[in-house]
Amino acid sequence: MVKAYLRHEPAAAFGVIVSVESNITYDNSGKHLLAPALEKLGVWHVRQGVCTKTLSPSPSSRGPSLAVTYVASSSSSLVASGYADGSIRIWDCDKGSCETTLNGHKGAVTALRYNKVGSLLASGSKDNDVILWDVVGETGLFRLRGHRDQITDLVFLDSGKKLVSSSKDKFLRVWDLETQHCMQIVSGHHSEIWSIDVDPDERYLVTGSADLELRFYNVKHDFMNGESMVNVSGAEIGNDGELSTQNKWEVLKPFGEMQRQSKDRVATMRFNKSGNLLACQVAGKTVEVFRVLDEAESKRKAKRRLNRKKEKKSAKEAVDATENVEANLSTEEAGSISVITVPDVFKLLQTVRASKKISSISFCPITPKNSLASLALSLNNNSLEFYSIESGASTKTLAIELQGHRSDVRSVTLSSDNSLLLSTSHNAVKIWNPSTGSCLRTIDSGYGLCGLIVPHNKYAMVGTKDGKIEIIDVGSGTRSEIVEAHGGSVRSIATIPNENGFVTGSADHDVKFWEYQIKQKPGQDSKCLTVSNVRTMKMNDDVLVVAVSPDAKYVAVALLDCTVKVLFMDSLKFFLSLYGHKLPVLCMDISSDGELIVTGSADKNLRIWGLDFGDCHKSIFAHSDSVMAVQFVRNTHYMFSAGKDRLVRYWDADKFELLLTLEGHHADVWCLAISNRGDFVVTGSHDRSIRRWDRTEEPFFIEEEKEKRLEELFEADIDNAFEDRHVPKEELPEEGAVALAGKKTQETLTATDSIIDALDVAEMELKRLAEHKEEKTRGKVAEFQPNMIMLGLSPSDYVLRALSNISINDLEQTLLALPFSDALKLFSYMKDWTTNPDKVELVCRIVTVLLQTHHSQLISTPSARPVLTVLKEILYARVKECKDTIGFNLAAMDHLKQLMASRSDALFRDAKSKLSEIRSQQSKRLEARTETKTEKPKKKKQKKSTDMHVWS
């Protein structure tokens, strides 16, 4: 009988507050901050400092989890997150659900931006393309190509009619979204442009690069009467002159430059929502905050500057009397015209300095009462900081840092009852609840390389890089004692079964045996745990790992010379030497029955040895990089290994077979720990996450898993074929090009197959129906048996069902892969489908795509003409009906809105901004009422007029 194993699935991931690779952003309410944590998106309540929600993709695909690379929030509750594989997910932040997934990019998403209304989403990627998405229709509109390097930022202009994109190719491009072409290419930057932004009034666009100055541009707006207008700088205010025809396509006009304080490259440029502040975050520890002066202030500043200039000139002229009078007059005339420059509008307010390097910034959309703005920073040490920006200085209001380590997790250890998990890092030890992922204690410590929780869970020991053993009181969360244990770093710590002792191995060539006991120290009231060195054994080389057999008979010591020495525990006499690894052994474990010892090495191999004779049973090429951790499941010969290749693997040491590969970590996996019952595994990684993998009740077989792995390899090859990496890239024209938004994926190919299958099944059914009809006319009356596969639907409805199941985003690519013969078959069903008013939009989409794709063939095919003629007559009428219905409904809703407004004081409003206006109106009414009550009614006429004034 074939042996079945139980599957392990990813159950929880914790310890990551914010990823380094992505940005952070506030939601539209300003109460929550969206912080990407590897493949998940954490929604943090800013005031409480608690993660209230986690938005993570469904674990339907058991492939590698992809990190969030960019996140953007809209004016509604919708949030868009871009991933490393180029996909974009739209989330509803209130519900916590994924609304849709958009596939179009071939590289990681590097920029996302919603328009003001939130109906359009622009995305940029490492594949150098910009794609415009219809958020309401959940589909891609078009792809804009022209940049020669990855897109770094995007911004909408002119009520979403234009789009500006910046790239690492040092150019800005302005795209007209109505005509879908590049209007303007802005050069002048000497290095990659990293960020751009425009103020809410769309007066200025600012760009930040590795250059030492920020560049500012005036934004030209198009007006209905054909006039063009530029803002206060006075560059161009006119209509049909020579200058305006020459600069017809110039949307961005250079306004000026301003020196930055920092020499690091710019990472993010952002205006706040009111537009009175501009933040410039550099790739360091600082954020420069600039005050944006309004038109009147900037004019006054320019006038003062010119007056000072005049005074200086007049003083100079008094000294130099030989100056010509005519020249003086001309300079005065020239000086009288005030020209506003960048320093007149943008003034450095202050510099915010964070404790560590800043990854990204975000302004809170709601302005606080007692300060100018609130600014959130994500730091590269896995923490969030919040600053209140005031006119004088900035103050830190909150820091979120306790829920994760500042650097990578170096070791994880479970307690004997699996209720506690100890993790060590470069400056702290954390104790977690492994079932919920909540951090229970954080204790400052040295650089912990290994850890141990002693029985009864009251104390823990941590071996550090500087050779100390730190004793930690778990209950109080304090470090009770530091023991100078070794002259080199303590690399490994192993408990001695059934005894109050443990063994440590160090880089100083020593293996030390310790005993611990709870004593009351002199001068102290409470008892505490103390350790004492019992024996010391000197080795020939650095000790990397120590392991003790479950019966405490042997101690195994792995040395830097690539060998493992097995010694008797009691006498410390030599028993076996295990040699065969080409590089040092980094991890090892002994099975519960003491029969096997497994060693994992930097040579990427696992070796399974017999502990009776020291013979190597098998050498397995386990990982594509160093094996960092290996451990047996208790009372079995199954084992888990973790490597620098980001994978965790499950093995059968008797059959030497790979059972499962667990993908999820985004960086090197350093350590793992298995529960006593073997029901879950915990791993710690360089990506600062701790992941729990639970054993499920779902059985699997080795052969099936092998087939799955082969299928995955085959699918990966197909994906590579889609990309056509070896095909020479086509040269894009200077002015850019437009292409389709979607991309061919495994899903679109599967969808095409499902349509072809549905068409074949429907055709067979139609033939059977025709035959049955013929038999009926001949007099052979037999009951017609419909095809079970069709689920009781008619052939037309069955094909329509197959098309309706395809996501709108994939529909275009699915139909592109459809052969012409099948496209003709689809046209024959279109007439029936138009009778269903719910499907008119879908039918129009299908017809449009098929006509665009097969236009030349359809023209030359006589059999297609009757169908197209019928569709031409029907479709226009059906679309008009739909438009009329929508128009009628909109008019009805407007009418209801007006009725509600007229009937009640609480006006029916769809914009929160109107609230303040209404409140001010109500306060004025109250004032007016009180005035009318206090005044004596002199005349009836006068009273009537005051009443009219109150209720107007």
Side-chain angles (χ1 to χ4, degrees):
M1 191 178 165
V2 182
K3 189 169 184 182
Y5 301 86
L6 291 176
R7 190 180 294 283
H8 283 73
E9 292 279 2
F14 47 93
V16 180
I17 298 167
V18 62
S19 316
V20 182
E21 293 81 21
S22 184
N23 68 315
I24 54 168
T25 184
Y26 276 92
D27 69 343
N28 65 322
S29 68
K31 290 178 184 176
H32 297 97
L33 183 80
L34 300 154
L38 304 176
E39 76 278 6
K40 296 192 289 188
L41 198 59
V43 182
W44 292 84
H45 193 288
V46 177
R47 192 170 286 176
Q48 295 171 1
V50 178
C51 187
T52 53
K53 252 189 227 108
T54 304
L55 311 175
S56 57
S58 60
S60 55
S61 55
R62 289 203 180 102
S65 54
L66 293 147
V68 177
T69 53
Y70 206 90
V71 61
S73 61
S74 71
S75 52
S76 64
S77 63
L78 294 182
V79 173
S81 60
Y83 291 81
D85 64 342
S87 63
I88 298 163
R89 284 182 174 85
I90 310 284
W91 304 88
D92 190 316
C93 217
D94 296 342
K95 296 177 192 169
S97 60
C98 181
E99 296 294 301
T100 184
T101 304
L102 308 168
N103 287 306
H105 289 294
K106 290 170 186 168
V109 177
T110 53
L112 288 169
R113 189 76 72 117
Y114 277 97
N115 65 346
K116 279 183 183 175
V117 188
S119 59
L120 294 178
L121 174 71
S123 65
S125 163
K126 279 186 178 175
D127 62 7
N128 312 348
D129 293 348
V130 176
I131 298 180
L132 200 73
W133 306 92
D134 178 0
V135 178
V136 181
E138 298 178 1
T139 182
L141 298 174
F142 48 85
R143 182 190 300 264
L144 300 168
R145 305 174 70 196
H147 282 292
R148 302 284 194 275
D149 209 335
Q150 82 168 52
I151 311 299
T152 52
D153 211 346
L154 298 160
V155 68
F156 280 96
L157 293 179
D158 206 6
S159 310
K161 289 176 187 173
K162 295 181 182 72
L163 180 74
V164 184
S165 59
S166 67
S167 167
K168 278 190 179 180
D169 63 7
K170 306 177 191 175
F171 291 106
L172 285 176
R173 280 178 180 264
V174 183
W175 306 88
D176 189 319
L177 300 180
E178 289 177 338
T179 57
Q180 299 174 20
H181 81 286
C182 181
M183 298 174 68
Q184 186 185 0
I185 301 169
V186 182
S187 59
H189 292 83
H190 306 300
S191 57
E192 295 108 331
I193 306 168
W194 285 99
S195 184
I196 60 171
D197 201 22
V198 69
D199 66 323
D201 298 333
E202 292 184 10
R203 295 189 300 159
Y204 307 106
L205 182 128
V206 60
T207 66
S209 63
D211 303 346
L212 290 173
E213 55 277 325
L214 299 174
R215 285 183 172 79
F216 292 85
Y217 297 88
N218 289 123
V219 182
K220 186 181 80 173
H221 295 283
D222 296 332
F223 288 92
M224 295 302 286
N225 58 1
E227 292 186 354
S228 64
M229 185 174 176
V230 177
N231 63 33
V232 294
S233 64
E236 177 193 344
I237 302 171
N239 40 25
D240 297 329
E242 279 182 35
L243 185 71
S244 59
T245 49
Q246 185 188 342
N247 301 338
K248 190 182 177 185
W249 303 110
E250 269 195 36
V251 176
L252 301 178
K253 294 190 67 118
F255 177 40
E257 295 175 357
M258 188 165 62
Q259 288 288 321
R260 296 191 286 116
Q261 303 288 310
S262 174
K263 288 182 180 178
D264 296 315
R265 73 163 178 85
V266 172
T268 318
M269 300 289 309
R270 286 292 177 265
F271 283 94
N272 67 339
K273 198 174 182 182
S274 54
N276 63 338
L277 292 178
L278 168 67
C280 168
Q281 176 233 327
V282 298
K285 294 182 181 180
T286 59
V287 179
E288 292 167 26
V289 182
F290 297 91
R291 184 77 186 262
V292 185
L293 303 178
D294 61 19
E295 204 171 319
E297 283 178 318
S298 51
K299 276 182 180 174
R300 279 200 298 273
K301 203 174 175 186
K303 211 171 184 180
R304 282 202 302 271
R305 178 170 50 77
L306 284 166
N307 288 338
R308 283 199 300 273
K309 212 173 184 182
K310 275 184 192 175
E311 283 167 17
K312 279 182 184 177
K313 275 192 178 180
S314 59
K316 200 178 180 184
E317 281 163 15
V319 176
D320 193 6
T322 57
E323 199 71 47
N324 195 0
V325 181
E326 286 176 18
N328 287 345
L329 287 166
S330 64
T331 52
E332 277 176 27
E333 281 168 17
S336 62
I337 304 161
S338 62
V339 177
I340 295 168
T341 59
V342 172
D344 297 333
V345 184
F346 297 91
K347 177 189 171 187
L348 182 66
L349 187 69
Q350 56 184 269
T351 304
V352 179
R353 293 187 189 279
S355 54
K356 285 284 174 187
K357 198 174 176 184
I358 303 166
S359 296
S360 74
I361 60 166
S362 180
F363 271 115
C364 180
I366 309 299
T367 308
K369 288 177 184 175
N370 51 0
S371 64
L372 292 172
S374 182
L375 186 69
L377 313 179
S378 74
L379 308 185
N380 75 342
N381 69 343
N382 193 25
S383 65
L384 293 167
E385 287 184 355
F386 297 86
Y387 287 85
S388 177
I389 309 292
E390 289 145 32
S391 51
S394 58
T395 52
K396 192 200 282 191
T397 53
L398 176 69
I400 298 171
E401 56 186 10
L402 288 176
Q403 289 90 336
H405 281 290
R406 302 283 72 76
S407 68
D408 46 352
V409 181
R410 290 311 304 239
S411 76
V412 287
T413 316
L414 283 162
S415 60
S416 53
D417 61 353
N418 307 326
S419 62
L420 296 178
L421 171 72
L422 174 96
S423 64
T424 65
S425 182
H426 82 294
N427 67 347
V429 171
K430 285 186 182 282
I431 292 160
W432 310 80
N433 180 342
S435 56
T436 61
S438 56
C439 183
L440 307 175
R441 297 276 185 278
T442 300
I443 306 108
D444 291 334
S445 75
Y447 198 130
L449 295 175
C450 51
L452 177 72
I453 299 175
V454 300
H456 310 304
N457 301 349
K458 288 185 178 176
Y459 294 94
M461 258 92 69
V462 174
T464 65
K465 204 173 187 178
D466 52 4
K468 297 182 178 73
I469 292 176
E470 298 184 355
I471 299 167
I472 285 158
D473 187 332
V474 174
S476 63
T478 56
R479 188 167 46 179
S480 60
E481 194 183 346
I482 300 171
V483 180
E484 295 285 347
H486 287 275
S489 57
V490 182
R491 297 270 176 79
S492 182
I493 188 165
T495 182
I496 301 170
N498 310 320
E499 287 182 39
N500 287 348
F502 60 94
V503 188
T504 57
S506 167
D508 64 358
H509 301 197
D510 285 354
V511 175
K512 289 191 177 183
F513 295 80
W514 306 79
E515 276 186 359
Y516 58 82
Q517 49 192 349
I518 295 169
K519 280 185 182 176
Q520 187 167 347
K521 284 190 175 179
Q524 285 186 355
D525 298 336
S526 58
K527 290 182 178 181
C528 62
L529 186 120
T530 57
V531 297
S532 53
N533 185 12
V534 183
R535 288 184 292 176
T536 303
M537 180 171 59
K538 198 83 181 166
M539 305 304 289
N540 303 329
D541 214 330
D542 291 19
V543 178
L544 298 178
V545 199
V546 290
V548 180
S549 63
D551 56 1
K553 191 178 178 183
Y554 306 110
V555 59
V557 182
L559 303 175
L560 196 63
D561 63 3
C562 310
T563 63
V564 177
K565 302 282 189 285
V566 183
L567 309 146
F568 287 102
M569 189 80 171
D570 48 4
S571 62
L572 299 184
K573 283 185 179 176
F574 177 79
F575 171 51
L576 292 170
S577 180
L578 313 176
Y579 55 90
H581 283 291
K582 295 178 180 70
L583 289 169
V585 172
L586 303 175
C587 52
M588 63 179 173
D589 194 30
I590 299 168
S591 63
S592 301
D593 55 7
E595 286 182 12
L596 300 177
I597 179 169
V598 63
T599 56
S601 162
D603 63 8
K604 309 172 189 175
N605 290 322
L606 281 176
R607 279 178 180 261
I608 300 160
W609 316 77
L611 204 54
D612 42 6
F613 303 111
D615 56 323
C616 180
H617 290 187
K618 186 75 174 175
S619 177
I620 304 167
F621 180 69
H623 292 266
S624 57
D625 210 330
S626 303
V627 183
M628 298 308 298
V630 66
Q631 197 177 329
F632 278 106
V633 179
R634 198 173 178 181
N635 301 326
T636 68
H637 282 181
Y638 305 146
M639 60 189 183
F640 282 90
S641 69
K644 276 190 177 180
D645 59 356
R646 309 178 179 190
L647 302 176
V648 178
R649 287 193 155 142
Y650 185 30
W651 306 86
D652 187 336
D654 290 332
K655 293 186 175 180
F656 319 123
E657 288 276 11
L658 170 64
L659 304 178
L660 276 181
T661 300
L662 305 174
E663 295 176 284
H665 281 291
H666 296 256
D668 313 353
V669 186
W670 292 123
C671 49
L672 67 83
I674 304 174
S675 67
N676 286 338
R677 294 194 300 275
D679 54 344
F680 69 88
V681 183
V682 177
T683 54
S685 165
H686 181 67
D687 63 14
R688 298 167 188 167
S689 71
I690 298 169
R691 289 174 190 268
R692 194 181 85 240
W693 316 82
D694 284 2
R695 187 176 64 200
T696 61
E697 294 303 312
E698 184 192 341
F700 71 91
F701 303 98
I702 294 174
E703 291 304 316
E704 280 182 10
E705 286 303 307
K706 279 182 181 173
E707 282 175 22
K708 269 186 194 173
R709 284 195 287 275
L710 286 169
E711 275 175 28
E712 281 167 18
L713 284 169
F714 176 66
E715 281 175 16
D717 287 343
I718 290 174
D719 290 341
N720 291 342
F722 290 159
E723 287 174 28
D724 293 333
R725 287 176 185 174
H726 307 297
V727 174
K729 285 186 178 176
E730 57 176 313
E731 273 298 312
L732 285 170
E734 185 67 30
E735 67 275 8
V738 182
L740 292 173
K743 71 168 180 180
K744 196 186 284 186
T745 59
Q746 198 64 39
E747 287 78 25
T748 60
L749 282 185
T750 311
T752 306
D753 288 343
S754 70
I755 291 171
I756 294 167
D757 289 345
L759 285 166
D760 291 344
V761 170
E763 195 176 10
M764 288 291 292
E765 190 71 359
L766 284 169
K767 275 183 185 176
R768 286 182 63 226
L769 280 165
E771 284 168 10
H772 178 71
K773 215 172 188 180
E774 212 173 292
E775 282 176 7
K776 219 173 182 182
T777 53
R778 286 176 190 167
K780 296 177 184 177
V781 181
E783 197 179 336
F784 180 73
Q785 293 293 328
N787 193 342
M788 296 290 283
I789 300 168
M790 295 185 68
L791 309 167
L793 298 169
S794 69
S796 173
D797 290 344
Y798 183 67
V799 179
L800 182 60
R801 182 175 170 272
L803 281 160
S804 302
N805 288 340
I806 301 161
S807 77
I808 297 166
N809 183 41
D810 293 337
L811 187 66
E812 195 168 22
Q813 288 293 332
T814 303
L815 294 171
L816 280 174
L818 208 63
F820 179 65
S821 57
D822 290 310
L824 272 178
K825 287 178 192 173
L826 268 184
F827 273 117
S828 63
Y829 293 109
M830 297 287 181
K831 189 186 171 186
D832 297 343
W833 297 344
T834 50
T835 54
N836 185 348
D838 295 343
K839 299 294 178 186
V840 171
E841 193 181 341
L842 178 68
V843 172
C844 287
R845 275 180 198 272
I846 295 164
V847 170
T848 310
V849 173
L850 291 178
L851 281 172
Q852 285 171 346
T853 312
H854 304 290
H855 183 257
S856 54
Q857 280 176 294
L858 283 167
I859 289 168
S860 57
T861 309
S863 59
R865 283 174 197 168
V867 181
L868 291 173
T869 312
V870 171
L871 280 176
K872 186 187 172 185
E873 291 168 5
I874 295 170
L875 274 179
Y876 280 111
R878 291 281 179 269
V879 171
K880 194 177 181 300
E881 278 174 25
C882 281
K883 278 180 79 177
D884 290 347
T885 308
I886 292 163
F888 183 82
N889 290 343
L890 282 170
M893 282 191 279
D894 272 341
H895 180 62
L896 283 170
K897 195 173 170 181
Q898 286 166 11
L899 280 173
M900 294 285 282
S902 63
R903 282 180 188 173
S904 68
D905 263 355
L907 294 175
F908 187 97
R909 53 193 169 271
D910 54 2
K912 289 181 181 177
S913 58
K914 288 184 182 175
L915 254 174
S916 56
E917 291 175 25
I918 291 156
R919 280 175 182 165
S920 64
Q921 283 172 12
Q922 285 173 345
S923 62
K924 281 177 185 175
R925 284 177 190 171
L926 283 167
E927 282 170 20
R929 278 181 191 174
T930 50
E931 279 174 310
T932 49
K933 279 178 184 177
T934 51
E935 281 177 15
K936 288 179 181 179
K938 291 177 182 177
K939 286 179 185 178
K940 278 187 180 181
K941 215 175 193 181
Q942 194 180 350
K943 187 173 185 267
K944 200 174 184 181
S945 66
T946 52
D947 283 349
M948 286 292 285
H949 170 69
V950 171
W951 296 106
S952 63

